[in-house]
Amino acid sequence: MAVSPQVFPPRKRRPSAGAFIPPQFSDQRLLQTLLELSQEISSLKPLQFLLKRNSSSILRKTKILAILFEELLKNPILFLSPTLLCFEEMYLVLQRFKTLLEDCVNGSRMWLLMQSDSVANNFLELTVELATLLDIFPVKEVEISEEVEELFLLLRKQCSKAKTFVDKRDYNLRHDVLTMLDRIQKEIVPDHSKLAEIFYLLGFRNSLSCKEEIENLEDEVQNQKDEKSKSDVIALIGLVRYVKCVLFEPSTPGADSRSKKLASDVNVPVDFRCPISLDLMRDPVVVATGQTYDRESINLWIESGHNTCPKTGQALVNTNLIPNRALKNLIAMWCREQKIPFETAEGNSRIDRVMESKAALEANKMTVSFLVNKMSASQSMEAVNGVIYELRALAKSNSDSRACIAEAGAIPVLARFLGPDIGSEFPNLQVNAVTAMLNLSILEANKTKIMENGRALNGVIEVLRTGATWEAKGNAAATIFSLSGVHSYRKRLGRKTRVVKGLVDLAKSGPASSKRDALVAILNLAGDRETVGRLVKEGVVDMVNEVINEMPEEAAAVLEMVVKRGGIVAVAAAYNAIKKLGVLMREGSDIVRESAAATLVTICRKGGADTAAELASIMGIERIIWELLASGTMRARRKASTLLRILRRWAAGLDVEFFYGHSTVATASSASSTVVLPA
């Protein structure tokens, strides 16, 4: 099965180039390589749970080949061309044997079970290829002992008589799994004892082994070409996830160091995170304002009725989404280096389409129902923590799971575990609960359920204010950001002093990741003019001054929005930030320079001559503005042009506010004179 070149990292079971291209070695080096390769293969263990006989047969054959190659190396001779060609072809066959065995060992057992006939046939085809090579090998012309020659002839005979073999046990297991999926599709809850028997025979003995199997199946979705195969794999994911929850104790983060890393487990570079979801971007796209978002997140934003850029608040002149392929490749390479699975947006949509499989949908519903009931009834906080972690992970997987979890009544139950009493005694439980709420809030319908449930909303706000850990506070801030994506909820949240104060305090004193969560939430709330007054009162401008060097892009965007919508009070509060904005306009990224210039324009227009004088006092300000005119973004050049005109009017003693509401563009070629400003 081919792998799309757009998917990073490459499929881990993809055959190496050595399986297709014969090595350009000398006679002796080729023989030595064949010996090493055959010894490597024969040292492997037979498959433990499926296709035991097929794998054992291959390993026995390669052991005999290793004996042959070792014997030939003892008696160096000059080989004829046909013999060399035979050895080169043997090298390719052995490489394919190795790849096939690794494929069976490292891949999904459930999918291997479904494909057992096909895989058994692959073993046969390679054995037949080996038989052909053994037939043409001139065994009588080379100097080998009688014992080795007898082994060789026995091997040739065995290979020539090989047939496809599928173990009856494997066949019965596959029938049992397909029957189980059929019953689930008919909404019949599976017999747990039968499930336990099937999964024991397949080697799944605990929650962690099921988790690894789910990850392998998710990889397998990427490798399928036709929709039927994808749907089949996704149904298996639903079954394994159900079994993981109902038969084994839930796992929690950090319980298995062998499992794959997730993007949430490492420090993701800020440029790789979507400003909306705060998750690693899978399909970055650029909107009309030049900002980059994950395609799925910005599509949801636009489909919800918004016509503004979430990060800058600017109106979108169009809703065209331009793929940012350069950034996507950088993210993919970073994921490969970090050993983090990277699924493209196309891959994510495939997982979302999993729910088009009736069996997968019903298995998902059964899993959610079981987890929510267990969460409600459990008396042990440790058990509750495991269940909530499972719901947290499930809510992150796809939109249908988020809908199922909310419909099963999870939101009010999760709200019980957001209070300070839980946080003080079980901080990890509080983190899992608020993160599950965050993941659920991504779905538009769930935003309403959370906002209408007073205990849930107050719980999130309480975690924001008094959460036991920075992670809990940061995820509470991210939840506020998610909820404020709905305009009416933005106004409602902005009226709550606890929300405003909590976000400002977190942005001021939290670690980098929590600061970022708080800043983007503040930016969203600042889209409402009434809220800006509360933000200014709670010291948002002073906070921005404190963090602007650490997080210039987010801080500059917040200050721009606050000044733009906050009236004269906000402008006065931002007076001390003018010099810092001037530095950013010289040293920041394109986006930061743009925000800094836009903010300075608003401050100077609304603040009059005093603010213009403060701007003019910045060393080399006119040169900074000209540099921005030459190399900034389109919007940055417009703002720089306006700043230049404001400074010229101030130098001439004219009213700075004359240009309020106008947008004029100056270029280096059109300007005929330069105004000398104070140093």
Side-chain angles (χ1 to χ4, degrees), residues 549 552 581-590 592-593 624 627:
N549 293 330
L581 289 170
V583 172
L584 290 182
M585 204 162 56
R586 180 180 64 238
E587 300 176 353
S589 65
D590 285 347
V592 171
R593 295 167 75 199
I624 294 171
E627 287 176 354

Side-chain angles (χ1 to χ4, degrees), residues 191-242:
D191 181 332
H192 289 187
S193 61
K194 185 63 177 176
L195 277 177
E197 178 187 346
I198 293 171
F199 274 67
Y200 182 84
L201 291 173
L202 286 169
F204 301 118
R205 310 293 165 80
N206 52 45
S207 177
L208 297 176
S209 61
C210 288
K211 179 182 177 183
E212 290 174 355
E213 176 64 9
I214 291 170
E215 291 171 348
N216 286 332
L217 284 167
E218 287 173 344
D219 284 347
E220 199 59 59
V221 174
Q222 309 285 338
N223 299 325
Q224 303 308 311
K225 287 185 176 180
D226 62 282
E227 293 301 318
K228 175 66 168 62
S229 296
K230 294 172 191 172
S231 180
D232 290 344
V233 179
I234 288 164
L236 292 172
I237 292 175
L239 176 62
V240 178
R241 185 175 283 130
Y242 177 73

Side-chain angles (χ1 to χ4, degrees), residues 590 593 627-637:
D590 285 347
R593 295 167 75 199
E627 287 176 354
L628 192 58
L629 275 168
S631 61
T633 64
M634 182 64 70
R635 180 170 181 250
R637 292 200 296 271

